[in-house]
Amino acid sequence: MSIVVTGATGHLGRHVINQLLEKVPAEQITAVVRDEAKAAEFAARGVRIAVADYNRPETFDNLFATGDRVLLISGNEFDKGRVQQHTVVIDAARTAGVALLAYTSGPGSLTAALADDHRATEQVLLASGLPYTLLRNGWYHENYTENLAPVLAHDAVVAAAGEGRISSASRADYAAAAVAVLTGEGHENKTYELGGDEAWSLDEYAAELSRQTGKEIAYNSVPGETLLGILTGAGVPEAMAAILVGVDASIAKGELVVSTGDLSRLAGRPTTPITEAVAAALKG
């Protein structure tokens, strides 16, 4: 039996592999990557590296073995048919007879277009008959803290989220939940709604940035159409900009507040506060 992680050199995947290495022998871990060179660090630590691409189904032939536990990390190529990409992995896992396939989905409460691929992938997974775990990841701190340059340049957080609140957590927190499922028992055919312990508003986020930087940083809530223009003007492709504006609309409606406590329970610890994420990002 091995634990197989797709997208292993992505932002979330790296956290998952590193945390798995703290719990299981390296030879029991398979990192699925598109670029073997990016996985050199893992290979040096004894992790098995498998090269495969969601867009080339044949590369997943014989990649999985009976009894494997698989983490399917959702793809980020929004323009290449993510559901079909995910289906490639699910079909290969079903053929192999894996013991569990865990999928990093999105919150069940989310109605924004971003959730469409997740809901469709969930349907494919449930129809496959595979033992599954749905890890419905909420918003990441890093969606904000990795994009501080324009905020600090203009002394403003600009969004179309109104007074909505966000139960975000760090990538490391979500990775801890995935590792708990991959290494634990009793998670078959379960759905976990995952989010941070404390919800916060973008007004509070701007106030925290002000506190930690000593600058006066405001939160400017703008209409969705205005934000779309700002994002496309900054070079964000229109399709992606529209997705981001849609998420802000969902935030305004309270759809990214997750209050189940599933994430901290699975991780076995409180989730990382946004204040810590801001401090880490500012240290850089």
Side-chain angles (χ1 to χ4, degrees), residues 78 112-114 139 143-144 147 159-161 224 227-228 231 236-251:
F78 295 92
L114 180 68
W139 218 224
N143 291 339
Y144 295 103
N147 296 289
L227 181 61
L228 185 65
L231 292 172
V236 177
E238 188 162 353
M240 175 56 70
I243 286 173
L244 295 173
V245 170
V247 170
D248 271 11
S250 285
I251 291 171

Side-chain angles (χ1 to χ4, degrees), residues 8-281:
T9 55
H11 290 303
L12 180 62
R14 286 190 176 277
H15 281 288
V16 172
I17 297 292
N18 283 322
Q19 291 186 37
L20 280 172
L21 284 165
E22 296 173 3
K23 291 201 165 191
V24 299
E27 58 268 22
Q28 291 183 16
I29 304 169
T30 298
V32 181
V33 301
R34 284 188 295 189
D35 183 348
E36 191 169 5
K38 291 183 178 179
E41 166 200 345
F42 296 144
R45 297 174 70 183
V47 174
R48 175 177 171 248
I49 308 300
V51 178
D53 188 328
Y54 294 152
N55 299 308
R56 295 169 55 215
E58 71 278 5
T59 61
F60 280 89
D61 291 346
N62 305 313
L63 191 153
F64 304 120
T66 302
D68 281 351
R69 295 184 178 191
V70 178
L71 177 63
L72 169 54
I73 294 180
S74 56
N76 59 5
E77 296 177 317
F78 295 92
D79 59 339
K80 292 190 177 179
R82 290 199 300 167
V83 179
Q84 184 53 44
Q85 290 179 331
H86 300 157
T87 300
V88 165
V89 180
I90 293 167
D91 286 347
R94 182 183 61 219
T95 298
V98 305
L100 179 73
L101 191 146
Y103 170 65
T104 61
S105 190
S109 55
L110 187 64
T111 62
L114 180 68
D116 293 347
D117 288 349
H118 289 313
R119 296 292 90 81
T121 299
E122 289 182 5
Q123 291 173 7
V124 172
L125 179 52
L126 268 60
S128 74
L130 282 168
Y132 68 87
T133 305
L134 299 181
L135 296 165
R136 287 180 169 169
N137 288 358
W139 218 224
Y140 297 166
H141 292 331
E142 290 88 348
N143 291 339
Y144 295 103
T145 59
E146 287 185 351
N147 296 289
L148 284 179
V151 173
L152 299 178
H154 298 96
D155 294 336
V157 175
V158 180
E163 298 177 4
R165 302 183 73 77
I166 306 159
S167 301
S168 66
S170 70
R171 289 196 187 105
D173 294 334
Y174 291 110
V179 168
V181 166
L182 294 169
T183 60
E185 301 297 334
H187 300 290
E188 292 82 2
N189 306 329
K190 297 282 182 67
T191 298
Y192 296 111
E193 298 285 349
L194 305 175
D197 294 336
E198 295 183 16
W200 49 272
S201 68
L202 286 167
D203 194 44
E204 291 168 345
Y205 175 63
E208 182 61 27
L209 285 171
S210 298
R211 186 184 72 80
Q212 293 200 31
T213 61
K215 303 174 73 176
E216 283 296 324
I217 297 176
Y219 168 43
N220 294 338
S221 182
V222 299
E225 300 80 12
T226 301
L227 181 61
L228 185 65
I230 292 170
L231 292 172
T232 54
V236 177
E238 188 162 353
M240 175 56 70
I243 286 173
L244 295 173
V245 170
V247 170
D248 271 11
S250 285
I251 291 171
K253 292 185 284 188
E255 294 177 3
L256 278 179
V257 174
V258 180
S259 56
T260 61
D262 284 351
L263 181 52
S264 54
R265 276 195 295 273
L266 283 172
R269 57 170 172 75
T271 59
T272 306
I274 185 65
T275 53
E276 287 187 18
V278 168

